[in-house]
Amino acid sequence: MIEKYRQQFNASFTEEKYNQLLEKLGEGFPVIPFRVAETPIFIPQALKEKLIAAGEEIISLIKQDNFKELTQNAIPQQWNVPNETSHPHFLTFDYGLCKDEKGEITPMLIEMQGFPSLYGFQSHLANTYKEVFNLDDKLSPYFNGLDENSYFELFKKVVVGDYAPHEVALMDVDAPNQKTAIDFFITAKHLGIKILALEDISKEGNQLFYEENGLKIQLKRIYNRLIFDEIAENTDIFKNSFDPREELDTEWITHPNWFYRISKYTMPFLKSEFVPETRFLNTVEIIPTDLENYVLKPLFSFAGMGVIIDVTETDIKQITDPENWILQRKVVYEPLIQAPDAGVKAEIRMMYLWPEGEEPQLCINLGRLSRGKMIGVRYNADFDWVGGSIGLMEAF
C-alpha cells in the first residue's frame, strides 16, 4: 500500500525469487506446512497510526479494574486453571483492512487473543523477505523503535524472566511436530529455552520435571502454546504427563485463562470505530432483517471453525446455547494488496509483549493475504499471492 514499494516489488518479482524465499526460510528448520505469501505488506504511516490507536482503545478496556469481572464467564469451567496472573503476557489483535466511508484505508477488529502467536517466525520472515527481494533497509516490521536485537531482548525478558533458560520450556502437545514448529525452533534458538512435548514432562508432587542427558531438571516456567480447545476431546493425554488444571509449582507464560478472557468473548464490550458491532446472541431480542450483513461465530472455537458466514434466521433459531455465540456485523475486506493479476485482501495481526510489572508494548506484526471467502489456509488452498506474510513500515 506504500505505492513506490509495491510497484518496485511487483516489477522485480519472479517465481525464482519466491522459491528462494521459501528455501531460505526453511534452512535448518522443520518443513513449513503452511503457505507463505509471495509478498510482504507495505504499511503506510496513516494506517500504522490507526492500527496503534485501535490497539490502545482495546488495551484500555483490558486494563480496567473490572475486566476480570466482565469476563468471568469467558472461561469454560472444565478449563479453569488455578493461579491466574494479574495480566496476560501476550496480546494479539487481528484487523481486516477495509475502506471507510471516506474511501480511506482503515483497520476493523476481527479477532483478539491473550495468547502468543508467531513471535519468533515473524522476525525471521521479515529478514528473509528483505534479503531475497533486496528491499529498502529502512523497512522494518517492528514498532516503538525496536530492532531485531532489542525485540528479542524484550521477548526473552517476558518469557524467561529471572530464571535460567534451562528452567523454562516452550510446551505444546506434540511441539516438534506442530504446524508452527518452525516458530518454536526459532524461539528456542533466540531465547535458549527447551521445546517440550506434553509427554516429555513428568510430575512429582506439585513440581514438574523433564530429563536431559540422564539428568532430571525442574521446569519452573512454561511458555504455553497448548490450546485447550484443540484437545478438548482427548484429555487422556494428561495421564502420561500432568494436568494443567492442578495446583502446580510452575509459572505459566502466559496463563491459559487469558486465552479465553481476551477472545471473541471480549468484543461485545468494545465500542470503537475500529470494532464492528458485536453482540452476544442471547442478548439479541430482534433478529436483524439484513442478516446478509452479519456473521455468526461460536465463542469457543479455533481457526475459524464453526463460523457461519451466510447467516439465516433458521441458523440462529437452531442454536441451543446462544450465550456461547456472537452475532457480528460483517467486515468488508478491501482487496488493497496489488498482485500481478488482481487485488488481494489482507489481515494484520498486531502483536504485543507485556512484561511483568510494566506496560504492554506493541512489538511486531503478522500479515495474512486472502482471495477466498475467509482468511486462513483452508480457505485459500488453490490460490497464489495468499498466505502468511508480514507488514513492513518505514522506520523514521
Side-chain angles (χ1 to χ4, degrees):
M1 288 169 289
I2 303 179
E3 191 61 29
K4 64 176 179 178
Y5 294 122
R6 173 53 55 210
Q7 289 181 0
Q8 291 168 4
F9 186 92
N10 287 18
S12 63
F13 176 83
T14 64
E15 285 295 327
E16 182 182 5
K17 285 183 181 178
Y18 177 57
N19 290 330
Q20 287 175 15
L21 173 80
L22 299 180
E23 184 178 341
K24 197 157 201 56
L25 275 174
E27 283 178 2
F29 295 113
V31 171
I32 303 174
F34 53 89
R35 194 176 199 285
V36 175
E38 282 81 344
T39 179
I41 301 167
F42 300 110
I43 300 176
Q45 182 66 17
L47 176 58
K48 175 182 175 180
E49 290 171 1
K50 288 180 181 179
L51 287 163
I52 292 169
E56 288 175 349
E57 291 183 7
I58 298 168
I59 289 170
S60 68
L61 172 71
I62 295 168
K63 292 175 70 176
Q64 284 182 191
D65 292 340
N66 67 338
F67 183 73
K68 284 194 175 184
E69 183 183 343
L70 282 176
T71 56
Q72 63 184 351
N73 295 325
I75 306 165
Q77 190 173 353
Q78 69 271 28
W79 293 119
N80 200 333
V81 174
N83 303 315
E84 184 178 318
T85 51
S86 61
H87 65 74
H89 298 87
F90 306 91
L91 295 171
T92 62
F93 306 148
D94 291 357
Y95 302 94
L97 297 188
C98 313
K99 280 192 175 179
D100 61 18
E101 59 278 1
K102 298 177 184 176
E104 296 176 353
I105 300 171
T106 193
M108 290 296 288
L109 185 68
I110 302 298
E111 177 66 281
M112 53 196 297
Q113 287 183 342
F115 192 79
S117 185
L118 306 182
Y119 282 83
F121 179 72
Q122 288 306 108
S123 177
H124 177 53
L125 179 60
N127 286 343
T128 310
Y129 271 128
K130 290 181 70 174
E131 180 181 346
V132 171
F133 290 100
N134 194 29
L135 301 180
D136 196 312
D137 281 342
K138 67 182 175 184
L139 288 170
S140 171
Y142 305 106
F143 297 86
N144 287 318
L146 293 171
D147 58 19
E148 184 177 4
N149 290 333
S150 56
Y151 168 67
F152 278 107
E153 285 173 7
L154 179 61
F155 191 17
K156 187 170 185 177
K157 178 180 180 180
V158 170
V159 173
V160 180
D162 295 328
Y163 293 99
H166 69 270
E167 296 175 317
V168 183
L170 183 155
M171 185 273 290
D172 203 341
V173 176
D174 183 17
N177 297 306
Q178 289 290 343
K179 286 184 178 180
T180 54
I182 186 170
D183 175 68
F184 298 173
F185 283 94
I186 293 169
T187 298
K189 175 183 173 183
H190 281 279
L191 275 53
I193 62 176
K194 300 295 297 181
I195 301 172
L196 298 178
L198 188 64
E199 291 191 356
D200 294 332
I201 301 170
S202 60
K203 184 168 80 78
E204 295 182 16
N206 67 346
Q207 295 182 330
L208 301 181
F209 296 88
Y210 69 93
E211 287 193 9
E212 185 172 57
N213 300 324
L215 296 175
K216 187 168 67 174
I217 300 170
Q218 185 179 353
L219 183 59
K220 297 184 179 179
R221 181 178 270 197
I222 293 172
Y223 175 33
N224 182 44
R225 302 300 294 267
L226 170 60
I227 296 174
F228 291 153
D229 286 2
E230 293 186 320
I231 48 94
E233 307 301 321
N234 187 28
T235 53
D236 285 347
I237 61 174
F238 295 145
K239 292 178 180 177
N240 298 321
S241 181
F242 73 99
D243 191 324
R245 297 165 291 186
E246 297 175 350
E247 286 278 352
L248 298 167
D249 183 21
T250 301
E251 294 180 7
W252 294 94
I253 302 295
T254 194
H255 192 282
N257 289 0
W258 288 106
F259 175 82
Y260 295 104
R261 287 194 185 277
I262 300 173
S263 63
K264 291 187 284 288
Y265 191 95
T266 320
M267 293 187 67
F269 301 109
L270 292 164
K271 308 301 175 190
S272 166
E273 64 177 296
F274 304 116
V275 180
E277 173 201 339
T278 306
R279 290 180 284 170
F280 293 111
L281 189 57
N282 65 332
T283 68
V284 177
E285 296 179 355
I286 300 173
I287 296 175
T289 56
D290 59 337
L291 281 176
E292 68 276 10
N293 294 320
Y294 288 84
V295 61
L296 197 56
K297 296 181 179 181
L299 289 175
F300 307 111
S301 70
F302 181 66
M305 300 299 289
V307 173
I308 302 174
I309 299 176
D310 300 313
V311 186
T312 66
E313 192 168 330
T314 302
D315 291 326
I316 293 176
K317 289 181 176 178
Q318 286 179 345
I319 290 174
T320 57
D321 58 340
E323 70 279 4
N324 292 325
W325 290 75
I326 55 173
L327 186 66
Q328 184 178 83
R329 183 164 283 277
K330 278 182 181 175
V331 169
V332 180
Y333 290 75
E334 190 75 17
L336 297 166
I337 313 302
Q338 189 59 50
D341 59 338
V344 177
K345 295 176 286 187
E347 203 168 87
I348 293 181
R349 173 174 294 171
M350 303 292 271
M351 297 160 59
Y352 299 73
L353 291 169
W354 195 339
E356 204 64 49
E358 298 183 25
E359 294 295 312
Q361 296 186 44
L362 176 58
C363 298
I364 198 167
N365 72 89
L366 178 154
R368 290 187 291 186
L369 304 186
S370 173
R371 298 181 194 246
K373 206 165 191 177
M374 288 177 67
I375 299 276
V377 175
R378 64 173 60 87
Y379 309 104
N380 288 274
D382 300 322
F383 301 117
D384 60 3
W385 285 67
V386 298
S389 183
I390 186 139
L392 298 177
M393 302 156 286
E394 289 186 325
F396 296 102

